Amino acid sequence: MSDPIDHVFQTDGALARAVPGYAPRAGQLALAHAVDEAMRNYGVLVAEAGTGTGKTFAYLVPALLSGAKVIVSTGTKTLQDQLFHRDIPTVRAALNVPVSVALLKGRANYVCRHHLDRARSEGRFASREGVRHLHEIARFALRSRSGDRSELAEVPEDAAVWSQATSTRENCLGSDCPQYKECFVMEARKRALEADIVVVNHHLFFADLVLRDEGAGELLPASHAVILDEAHQLPEIASQFFGESVSSAQLLELARDARAAAMQYARDFAPLPRAAEALEKAARDLRLECGDVSGRVPAQEIVRREAFAAALDAARTTLDAVAELLAAQAERAPDLDHCHTRALSLAQRLERWREDDNADKVRWIEVFAQSAALNATPLSVAPMFRRQVEGGARAWIFTSATLSVGNDFGHFCSRLGLEGSTTACWPSPFDFEHQALLYLPRNLPDPNTAHYTAAVVEAAMPLIRAAGGRTFCLFTSLRAMREARRLLGEAFAREGLDFPLLAQGEGSRSELLERFRGLGNAVLVGSHSFWEGVDVRGQALSLVAIDRIPFAPPDDPVLAARIASLEREGGSGFLDYQLPEAALTLKQGVGRLIRDPSDRGVMMLCDPRLLSRGYGRRILASLPPMRRTREGAEAAEFLHALDAAPATIR
């Protein structure tokens, strides 16, 4: 009897009959067998599958055929929705198996009936648009089965009113909520408990791991296997969740919730609103005393300031006062009781951060325009994550297009404590040598010179003209991206080019991508948001230009602490950490160009260090095998030829 997985992936198999244009791929079949083996043996598999391998179907087929409880986690809510609404139904129909599937997101993705009602009764809105949006949400809550905010297109994803109509882990009342029985979050979790396949995202998955680790319950059901797609994102997400954070925004939110609860349930207790007002002021002062710095900074840069230390003391004092007053009123309503619990938790976290001198953690502060977050991040999450992997009988499958550097998985595995796991790599089935040309321009200055971005734009302009727009220009910093956007706009005006110019920040990522695909001759300038998870197939994208090797900023406090720790242990911060991280990130950026067997285009990598430094050649060796040129005229000719080729080539 033939292997059922072999049969599914054959030319006349179940997928070929159900999916138009399906063609068998050796890498896809091999990955499916590797996933199946790991699931049967409760193994740990780390698998890299290049773009076009079809890794989603490769892991879904054995998962659906197994009849076991499987959690599938992916990097973004967009990919989560794609799995649930498109990929899994396709495979399930092809296999004709009676598998139940549930979609589960973090609680902030679901309308909270309690907070929605409270927001409507309070009537505090910044604009008429906020009022209109809240009415839309209220109507949606009446008709929706899921309460998933992504299903309400009429209210923008970034609308401020969502914070009033959803809950967070901090302000959810749990079983004390008067609308607990109608709670969308609890209904989603109930469906997840009953389903065979549960689709989550990495943030929810790690939130669940941390809750289990703390003995505080769980969000996800027990499972036979966990499949983590887009696994290259896991080390950084794990660092967020295995660390700890307390922010001025959380203090403000508590103050506002405490005052609202007092107004509703303890009108006769005047000290509580006054204390909440004092906490609001203390939270704002805490941000102000961080000064005019922005971004991520080492804690010691700010903590040593007397004014900041005083603001931190004031925040703790006012927080204690609010907690004490809430304790006196807690029995009057669940909202007051829950605010009291939150106040105690925030006070403990604030004190832990202030007193923490653990050598295994790095303290740092992230400063935003209106708030500041005090963070403590583990130097390594490997011991904690390894404990999770070894803590129960279930299979773990990690997969992505970018997990290895030159087929070496050592960096990824060491960051998560996965040494000794089974590793495997399947290259992309795309014919990169004929579909893509790698252009490494001559005569560019050192990337650290002031005029480097201008030189990159100047070098890219002939290719943008040759491509007829249809370009992604990807930059490693927002500052370079903004400068490039300005310079490109000036160059287009000077040369009379009518290519639409789009830039990150001028709309949501999904809006910009939709416009880019629809326009057909646009140039999109982006930074980190467009390096991964972006899929543009066909003629709309023919040129991807990347300004430099994406080394993380060396002054980032977490990176600096990890490098120092590595070097104390005799390693090389650059070779053992920065270089493999940059290589993996560059592989993600390069992966934007060829997304389909018929795609063709030019990959322009501008950083001269790729050829002038030994480490640059190591990075190039990790990329798909593209034909190389240093001649701009040859790259332009390749692009000109795309329009002359028959349409079927695309």
Side-chain angles (χ1 to χ4, degrees), residues 539-562:
Q539 290 184 319
L541 180 61
S542 296
L543 170 65
V544 173
I546 293 177
D547 70 331
R548 65 181 78 198
I549 300 169
F551 288 116
D555 58 351
D556 177 86
V558 178
L559 175 62
R562 285 177 174 160

Side-chain angles (χ1 to χ4, degrees), residues 355-400:
E355 300 297 330
D356 195 353
D357 58 356
N358 188 334
D360 294 330
K361 290 183 180 177
V362 53
R363 288 194 307 157
W364 54 286
I365 299 174
E366 188 161 19
V367 184
F368 305 96
Q370 303 295 327
S371 66
L374 316 180
N375 304 283
T377 300
L379 287 174
S380 172
V381 298
M384 289 165 276
F385 193 73
R386 185 188 302 116
R387 192 164 60 242
Q388 300 293 337
V389 172
E390 295 174 349
R394 65 176 174 180
W396 292 77
I397 291 98
F398 302 84
T399 186
S400 168

